[in-house]
Amino acid sequence: MAYYNPPWGPAYSESILEETKSYRNYFNGHLIHGNVNIAWVGGFAADNGRNFQFFQNDNLRFDDMDLRGYTPEYQNVIRETNSQRFCQSGFTFQMDKSGFYSWKLLEEREEKVGITANNLRFSHFGSDCSEGAMGMTRDLVIYTHLQHDSRDEISNITFDETTVTMPTINMCPVMDISSGTTIAIYDRDGSLHPAGGEPGFVVSREEKMIAFLPEDSCLEIPGDSCAYYCVNACLRHIKVTVNGAFSTRNIEMVVVREENDDAWKNTTVSWSRYLLHHHPPTNLYANTMVTREGTFGIALPEGNYTFSFRHVNTKVEAWPGYASLTYELPPRHCSGYVADDGITLQKPDYDVVRCGGELLENGSFDDIDNSLHMGRWQQENLDLELVQPGYDGTGYALRTTTQLDSSSSSNNNNNNAYYLSQYLDTSCLQEEGYGLIEFRAHIRFERAGASNSQPMKCNPYDVYTCPSIRLVMTAPLLIVTVSDEHYNTDNGWYTVTGSLPANFLFEVNPYSVRDKVMLKIEHPSDKYHMILDDVSLSYTEYEMPSQAPSGPTISPMPTFIQTNLAFHKPTEQSSTLWPSENAVDGNIFSSTHTWNAGKNQINWWKVNLEMVAAIHRIRIVNRYDCCQERLNGAVVEILDFRGEPVAIQSVREDSPESVEFRFDQNNNAINIEASSIRISVYEQVLSLAEVEVYG
């Protein structure tokens, strides 16, 4: 029987299947995928390749069942018919409970259980059954490098004399073939205890799983099981989610616990990232998808722990770009597991020597050790390829091509996002003080599908052809957009440079999201290939100047009789449904309106003050008749005469009628000089009733 797509999942009650019978199936007697809240009570499964196989379910219960391997009667049938059959295991726990369907069915429930198996009777699992009576799912051959995260429990599991030649539970297949890790199953009554009788945890044979348990409390389960039985243990799964780029595999997590006698216990945890089997290791696109994250996993007893990171070979402290700590729900029927406040995630302090000033890895593309992984680089909807020669005629460059060809996407349709990205090491950015982030890269464009590689110029008047480079937390901040001024007619390369004060990142983004910063290099339309080389993003500390640099013309010395400097000044916006000048006409009942924004698109409005003015405050009046939420999260940039931001703010109120930003000190000193103001929103229409700039 297959319990598959669409899933079966009563959200708030349990469905019970009584006295089911499944037998003589070549593969699975029961294949259960993406389901929740189902119980199998009574009945039997016999003479199947696997009696029960699970994949991405939750809240499943099994009680009072007979599970048989290959019975003598069936073995006689196989011999007489010369059939090819295989007996693997009787009951396999799943590695991962977080499938899409089960997640959707359980998203309103707090209690997520896993699999509970009680009163199961195993027989006829002898040497002809390759994986043992119980095991872990390594098929549906879809994922590898999975971390076990379920609260699985067993009790009153028995094995008759026909099963003694096999390990009672076998974790080797999933660990050896699928690189499964962090397996922990609670045995409530000691059914799998080698000597019988005491409750405990069955765990995968990994040093990290027993490092913090009492010495000699973990026994190896007999047979080739790849499993320990840890007496009276109570373990809670812990997961740290980190950057999924493959260069992160060179970082390990160090787990330390302080003991009562001021001694320390520690262990190391390796980085892991699940892979799709139908995306084999040679599939560069799957390997570099920005949506793929890495994990460090462990299961811990009670205590106070510190998690830190270091390079695998040099042992120098490190940071995996970002790190998010998750306490999985604790076990249901034991005590003595790590508490919700028992772990400190230790981020390295800023250090000039360790950080070295360069925020990117593999920017020259010559030091990428595996062209199937691309080091620290990731992408969204792009194919990546190392090509020769690079910018200077030697070495490598990186070519990016849209994953969707021109027949399935459109130059005028931005519903799909295309970009090259890299998560930054945020421990190398100072939140206090001031620093300058500077971007530099050589970029070249070629026509997609052309038989030659002649350089092309992008069209600066088409937002889909000349890419922008941004830093993204929650609010994306523009560093630079490729333009004609960067173009070298001699070699067809753009030398793109731009900068951004680092403190802008932390002024715009709330504290809760400051640990995750991405450099995003947007790809032009699908009519182009983009080739990049010598990509650099550097960070330099500097002292904040006492006065912002001024331009060639200065407004008169400011007084406190302030003037709206934006009134009837030139305006522009990213697209126009209603005119941009409506925001500076003095009429709050007229408003601007851009066209709809697609995925990854920014809509903006800008006013040119036609002078370098000392700015005291900015007032934005929201549209009055509807749609006030469109201003939520808007970014307000104050630009100098070169078009570079000198200050930045964001709208943090929810659907405000108006919002005001002040740039004075003690209300009596004006300290921001600017030539223009730009307001932008991400993936949203921008509507403004009035923008007033006083100074």
Side-chain angles (χ1 to χ4, degrees):
M1 296 180 66
Y3 313 78
Y4 204 69
N5 187 13
W8 184 4
Y12 296 100
S13 61
E14 183 183 67
S15 289
I16 299 177
L17 304 177
E18 295 182 332
E19 302 298 332
T20 61
K21 299 176 177 63
S22 175
Y23 50 92
R24 297 193 178 185
N25 293 283
Y26 183 81
F27 285 114
N28 300 298
H30 297 265
L31 172 60
I32 306 168
H33 174 33
N35 300 275
V36 299
N37 296 343
I38 306 175
W40 285 258
V41 179
F44 71 87
D47 300 325
N48 301 298
R50 290 190 184 96
N51 285 329
F52 280 94
Q53 169 109 324
F54 309 105
F55 183 59
Q56 294 182 330
N57 307 276
D58 208 354
N59 293 14
L60 303 186
R61 182 170 64 89
F62 302 85
D63 198 0
D64 191 25
M65 300 191 74
D66 289 298
L67 304 181
R68 304 162 193 163
Y70 275 7
T71 60
E73 295 81 4
Y74 189 53
Q75 291 178 358
N76 289 335
V77 172
I78 292 173
R79 283 192 294 269
E80 292 172 0
T81 59
N82 197 26
S83 301
Q84 292 184 349
R85 299 285 178 172
F86 67 99
C87 173
Q88 291 192 321
S89 60
F91 192 94
T92 59
F93 292 93
Q94 62 192 8
M95 284 297 296
D96 181 19
K97 70 175 183 297
S98 57
F100 173 77
Y101 296 114
S102 59
W103 173 77
K104 291 296 290 181
L105 291 167
L106 284 166
E107 60 184 345
E108 297 181 0
R109 290 177 57 100
E110 295 182 359
E111 187 72 5
K112 298 177 177 62
V113 175
I115 293 175
T116 302
N118 304 309
N119 307 308
L120 303 187
R121 298 171 291 275
F122 289 85
S123 62
H124 298 97
F125 289 94
S127 58
D128 56 340
C129 295
S130 60
E131 294 182 5
M134 305 180 78
M136 302 295 300
T137 296
R138 65 177 177 86
D139 287 330
L140 314 166
V141 188
I142 294 180
Y143 296 111
T144 65
H145 291 82
L146 277 175
Q147 177 181 313
H148 182 243
D149 61 1
S150 292
R151 298 193 297 163
D152 300 332
E153 287 188 351
I154 61 173
S155 64
N156 195 26
I157 308 299
T158 59
F159 308 89
D160 76 359
E161 67 279 359
T162 61
T163 306
V164 295
T165 58
M166 294 297 297
T168 53
I169 189 167
N170 186 358
M171 298 181 181
C172 295
V174 70
M175 294 179 68
D176 294 343
I177 298 173
S178 302
S179 300
T181 181
T182 325
I183 304 169
I185 300 169
Y186 184 49
D187 185 344
R188 295 185 63 181
D189 63 356
S191 293
L192 301 187
H193 190 304
E198 293 182 275
F201 262 80
V202 181
V203 301
S204 48
R205 191 169 58 197
E206 301 173 88
E207 174 61 28
K208 67 179 182 180
M209 300 299 289
I210 63 174
F212 301 104
L213 295 174
E215 191 173 351
D216 299 328
S217 66
C218 294
L219 311 172
E220 192 157 356
I221 293 179
D224 191 9
S225 65
C226 297
Y228 293 115
Y229 190 91
C230 298
V231 179
N232 294 319
C234 191
L235 302 174
R236 183 180 190 178
H237 281 104
I238 303 296
K239 179 169 63 178
V240 179
T241 304
V242 299
N243 185 358
F246 268 86
S247 65
T248 318
R249 72 189 186 280
N250 298 319
I251 294 176
E252 63 187 2
M253 187 171 76
V254 181
V255 181
V256 177
R257 183 180 74 181
E258 185 175 358
E259 301 297 294
N260 294 331
D261 56 0
D262 293 329
W264 297 84
K265 281 188 175 182
N266 67 83
T267 190
T268 58
V269 180
S270 298
W271 176 86
S272 182
R273 199 196 80 167
Y274 78 84
L275 298 173
L276 294 167
H277 270 239
H278 58 267
H279 287 162
T282 56
N283 189 308
L284 176 59
Y285 176 73
N287 288 343
T288 56
M289 292 171 67
V290 72
T291 53
R292 298 284 188 260
E293 293 188 301
T295 59
F296 293 91
I298 193 169
L300 293 172
E302 62 184 341
N304 294 313
Y305 299 85
T306 299
F307 289 5
S308 61
F309 299 89
R310 69 186 184 190
H311 289 284
V312 172
N313 296 322
T314 65
K315 308 305 180 186
V316 174
E317 66 176 345
W319 187 246
Y322 62 88
S324 176
L325 176 65
T326 300
Y327 294 84
E328 299 288 354
L329 291 172
R332 292 169 283 160
H333 297 107
C334 68
S335 59
Y337 50 81
V338 63
D340 286 349
D341 59 353
I343 297 171
T344 300
L345 196 58
Q346 185 171 294
K347 185 177 181 178
D349 294 331
Y350 175 78
D351 182 86
V352 175
V353 176
R354 177 178 64 86
C355 296
E358 178 59 48
L359 297 173
L360 298 181
E361 294 182 15
N362 312 116
S364 71
F365 305 104
D366 295 331
D367 58 349
I368 292 178
D369 59 359
N370 189 331
S371 61
L372 297 176
H373 293 164
M374 288 299 171
R376 193 76 170 216
W377 292 103
Q378 295 178 283
Q379 52 72 32
E380 177 78 355
N381 294 322
L382 294 179
D383 286 325
L384 309 181
E385 180 185 6
L386 290 178
V387 295
Q388 291 180 301
Y391 169 76
D392 60 0
T394 63
Y396 288 93
L398 180 69
R399 177 163 61 197
T400 66
T401 307
T402 56
Q403 174 73 8
L404 301 176
D405 60 28
S406 58
S407 64
S408 58
S409 61
S410 170
N411 187 39
N412 297 316
N413 183 355
N414 200 38
N415 291 327
N416 294 299
Y418 307 99
Y419 59 84
L420 181 70
S421 65
Q422 189 171 140
Y423 281 105
L424 308 186
D425 181 347
T426 53
S427 72
C428 290
L429 289 172
Q430 287 261 56
E431 293 195 27
E432 303 297 331
Y434 297 92
L436 185 67
I437 297 174
E438 296 178 279
F439 176 84
R440 181 180 177 86
H442 298 299
I443 301 178
R444 173 185 172 106
F445 302 103
E446 298 173 357
R447 184 172 296 280
S451 58
N452 56 43
S453 58
Q454 292 300 312
M456 295 186 62
K457 292 183 68 176
C458 65
N459 180 1
Y461 301 104
D462 185 342
V463 296
Y464 299 117
T465 61
C466 280
S468 296
I469 291 88
R470 307 179 190 276
L471 285 180
V472 180
M473 281 186 177
T474 49
L477 299 181
L478 178 69
I479 301 177
V480 63
T481 297
V482 177
S483 64
D484 287 345
E485 67 184 73
H486 303 128
Y487 190 68
N488 186 332
T489 56
D490 294 334
N491 59 17
W493 287 81
Y494 290 80
T495 299
V496 183
T497 60
S499 62
L500 181 75
N503 56 297
F504 287 4
L505 279 171
F506 305 110
E507 290 174 0
V508 170
N509 292 278
Y511 283 93
S512 60
V513 297
R514 290 184 176 185
D515 189 48
K516 203 171 184 178
V517 182
M518 174 197 289
L519 173 73
K520 180 183 288 188
I521 302 175
E522 296 171 358
H523 190 280
S525 77
D526 51 18
K527 294 182 179 180
Y528 295 87
H529 297 307
M530 182 168 66
I531 296 92
L532 303 100
D533 200 5
D534 302 323
V535 184
S536 172
L537 191 73
S538 62
Y539 174 77
T540 306
E541 292 182 275
Y542 70 93
E543 294 184 4
M544 184 65 177
S546 58
Q547 185 175 3
S550 60
T553 50
I554 298 291
S555 61
M557 288 297 293
T559 69
F560 293 100
I561 302 174
Q562 295 163 11
T563 302
N564 178 9
L565 303 175
F567 185 62
H568 284 318
K569 291 297 173 67
T571 58
E572 57 181 323
Q573 59 190 4
S574 54
S575 59
T576 298
L577 183 60
W578 298 343
S580 63
E581 57 265 28
N582 286 357
V584 294
D585 61 359
N587 179 9
I588 63 171
F589 299 105
S590 66
S591 61
T592 70
H593 197 305
T594 63
W595 288 102
N596 291 334
K599 185 176 181 181
N600 200 45
Q601 184 178 336
I602 292 177
N603 270 332
W604 54 267
W605 176 93
K606 182 178 179 181
V607 59
N608 183 356
L609 303 179
E610 296 185 316
M611 66 176 71
V612 176
I615 305 301
H616 181 69
R617 63 188 175 96
I618 297 174
R619 179 172 179 257
I620 302 172
V621 181
N622 205 353
R623 182 176 169 180
Y624 78 96
D625 56 339
C626 81
C627 316
Q628 286 85 5
E629 73 281 356
R630 291 175 177 174
L631 198 60
N632 295 353
V635 175
V636 182
E637 297 173 277
I638 296 87
L639 310 177
D640 65 16
F641 67 92
R642 298 180 298 268
E644 298 291 335
V646 294
I648 192 166
Q649 295 288 341
S650 64
V651 176
R652 302 190 181 186
E653 295 89 341
D654 185 23
S655 304
E657 293 183 3
S658 66
V659 62
E660 184 171 296
F661 303 103
R662 303 184 69 93
F663 303 97
D664 58 357
Q665 296 175 347
N666 301 322
N667 292 328
N668 59 15
I670 300 171
N671 65 340
I672 296 293
E673 291 184 354
S675 292
S676 57
I677 309 298
R678 180 170 58 210
I679 302 170
S680 58
V681 292
Y682 187 56
E683 297 183 348
Q684 179 62 280
V685 167
L686 179 60
S687 291
L688 303 168
E690 203 69 20
V691 177
E692 301 166 352
V693 181
Y694 293 97

